[in-house]
Structure formats: C-alpha cells, structure tokens
Amino acid sequence: MDLIAKDSSLVDVLMPYPDRKTALDLMEGLFPVNISVLEMHRRKADVRRARENDRKSSGDVTEECPESELTAKQRSEDPTGKGNRALSGSGDDTKDLDDITCKKLELISSLRAKVRVLEEDRELVLTEAKQCAERGEELEAAVRAACKPNELERYVMFIGDLEKVVSLLLCLSSRLARVQNAMRKIDGNTDAEEKQSLNERHKLLSRQREDAKDLKENLDRRERVVAGILAKYLTDQQLQAYRHFVQLKTSLLIEQKDLEEQIKFFKEQLENLEKSIPF
C-alpha cells in the first residue's frame, strides 16, 4: 500500500491484525449465545437508518465531504491562510501530504459512521435488556406465588449469580484478549520489561479465568437444581419462558460487551488517526 509506505500510522487501520482476539472469541463454548437477538436488533437499526436516509434525501440534506472537512480544519488552525500560501510552492511533497491527509479524513469519516452504527446497536441491546429485566420480575412473581420460601431463595440467588458469573467471565476474557493481542505484536524491538509484564499479566488472567470457569460449572449444577424445582410447580409455558429468559439474559450481556469492545477499538483507531493529522 502506497499510503502505508508514506505514513505508517495507517497500518492498524488499513491492515488490522487478522487474528485480533475479543472477549466474544474467548467466551465461545461457555454459554449458549442467541446470536439471532443481535441480528434482530441490527435489522431494526437498518430499517431506522434507511428511513433516516430517505428523510435526508427528500429534504436535500447533504453531508460534508472529507475535503471540506480538511479545508475547515486548515482554516480554523490558520485563519490568515499564510500557512497555505507558504506551502503552495513546496511542490510534490505538499501534494503527497494533502493526499495522505485527505485519505485520513475519509477514513475518519468511515470510522465515525461505524461507531455510530455500533452505538445504535448497543442502545437497542440495552433497551432489550431492560425489557428482559421486566420479564424477569414477572417470572420471579410467578415463582414466588408457586414455590416454597427456600425454593424461591434458591431461584433468586441463581438468577443473581448468573449475571455476576457471566459479567466476571466477560471482564476477564476482555482483559485477556487485549493482553493476547499485545503479545502478538511483540518483536525484536519490544522492550524486555514490557515482554515480562505481558507474560505475567497473561498468566495471572489465565489463572483467574480458569477459576471463573469453575464458578460457571458450579452455576450449571445449580441451574439444573432450580429447573427441577420449577418443573414441579410451573406450567410448560412458564418453564419455556424461564429457559428463554435465562438464555436471553446471558446473550444480551455478552452482546453488550462485544459491542462495547468494538466501539472502543474503533474509537482508539479514530484517536490515533486524528492525532496524526498535521494541522
């Protein structure tokens, strides 16, 4: 890539590491994730964005192009225009600089659009999580009315610990993925102290994650006990609602974390690009 040859700051944007790990990758197989939940959210978001684009088109709304953004940025930094006049005679170097900067602004525009889409998806997931919590309250009321007090306590503790264990595994998986990604970038120029720090963090997080997986196995046993209790009291429809609630609650927690990771990743790329523009 010519652009990368001219400016190495574009490497991570134009050629991101293909094996970059995420928390979702490390959570694979631990929980049954209902991916269709997020797909449904994205379809809704796509419909809403299409309607918004139709509204903009009908109203002749135009968006600022990267070149206009470059001009505005130059003007804000150099209102007298002296800098531009001084650069105007510098020949090919100036042209290359302008080409690279324009490309960066195009990438910035694209990344901002990605972040907006992901943030919209996250809002949809948060809305669904709120609705899921309301269904959980209704389900708890049904369990309260049907079960004995000690059985209700088992149910309530299981639901509370479900969120805690999922959240713990997500947190540890996210941190471990970031360390693994950093370790993949180690080369001959990496400081020895940094290598040691990464190796120690990797060992610690791996050990903590294994401990959390033990908690998850214990949670699975408790879930089977709770399901057996509920089967004695609830109707088949209520049992189906319970199973759906548990799976949906887990899926939404995982999907929310995945979206937050993607948003953070693209925002870091944005920040690096914006810092590299020399105006």
Side-chain angles (χ1 to χ4, degrees), residues 69-115:
E69 187 176 345
L70 171 60
T71 302
K73 191 172 184 66
Q74 289 174 323
R75 188 180 299 114
S76 65
E77 296 293 333
D78 185 15
T80 65
K82 292 179 180 178
N84 287 336
R85 288 195 296 272
L87 287 171
S88 61
S90 58
D92 292 339
D93 289 343
T94 301
K95 184 179 184 302
D96 287 343
L97 179 63
D98 287 345
D99 287 345
I100 293 171
T101 301
C102 285
K103 182 59 179 177
K104 287 182 179 181
L105 289 171
E106 290 173 7
L107 290 170
I108 286 171
S109 178
S110 176
L111 288 172
R112 284 174 179 167
K114 285 183 180 180
V115 170

Side-chain angles (χ1 to χ4, degrees), residues 48-155:
R48 190 174 69 251
R49 284 190 287 270
R51 288 174 178 170
E52 180 67 14
N53 290 335
D54 289 343
R55 184 192 65 79
K56 288 181 178 180
S57 298
S58 62
D60 293 327
V61 178
T62 58
E63 295 195 8
E64 191 178 53
C65 67
E67 288 78 10
S68 298
E69 187 176 345
L70 171 60
T71 302
K73 191 172 184 66
Q74 289 174 323
R75 188 180 299 114
S76 65
E77 296 293 333
D78 185 15
T80 65
K82 292 179 180 178
N84 287 336
R85 288 195 296 272
L87 287 171
S88 61
S90 58
D92 292 339
D93 289 343
T94 301
K95 184 179 184 302
D96 287 343
L97 179 63
D98 287 345
D99 287 345
I100 293 171
T101 301
C102 285
K103 182 59 179 177
K104 287 182 179 181
L105 289 171
E106 290 173 7
L107 290 170
I108 286 171
S109 178
S110 176
L111 288 172
R112 284 174 179 167
K114 285 183 180 180
V115 170
R116 284 195 298 270
V117 169
L118 291 169
E119 288 176 338
E120 289 174 0
D121 286 343
R122 181 179 60 182
E123 288 305 311
L124 288 170
V125 170
L126 290 174
T127 299
E128 180 67 19
K130 183 177 179 181
Q131 295 171 353
C132 180
E134 292 171 354
R135 289 195 290 272
E137 291 175 359
E138 295 172 359
L139 187 59
E140 182 179 328
V143 174
R144 187 182 303 276
C147 296
K148 299 175 184 177
N150 64 318
E151 294 170 331
L152 171 65
E153 184 179 3
R154 278 177 177 261
Y155 171 81

Side-chain angles (χ1 to χ4, degrees), residues 228-244:
I229 292 172
L230 297 182
K232 297 188 297 183
Y233 301 101
L234 302 185
T235 65
D236 289 342
Q237 185 177 359
Q238 287 174 320
L239 281 172
Q240 185 177 355
Y242 158 73
R243 295 188 189 99
H244 177 70

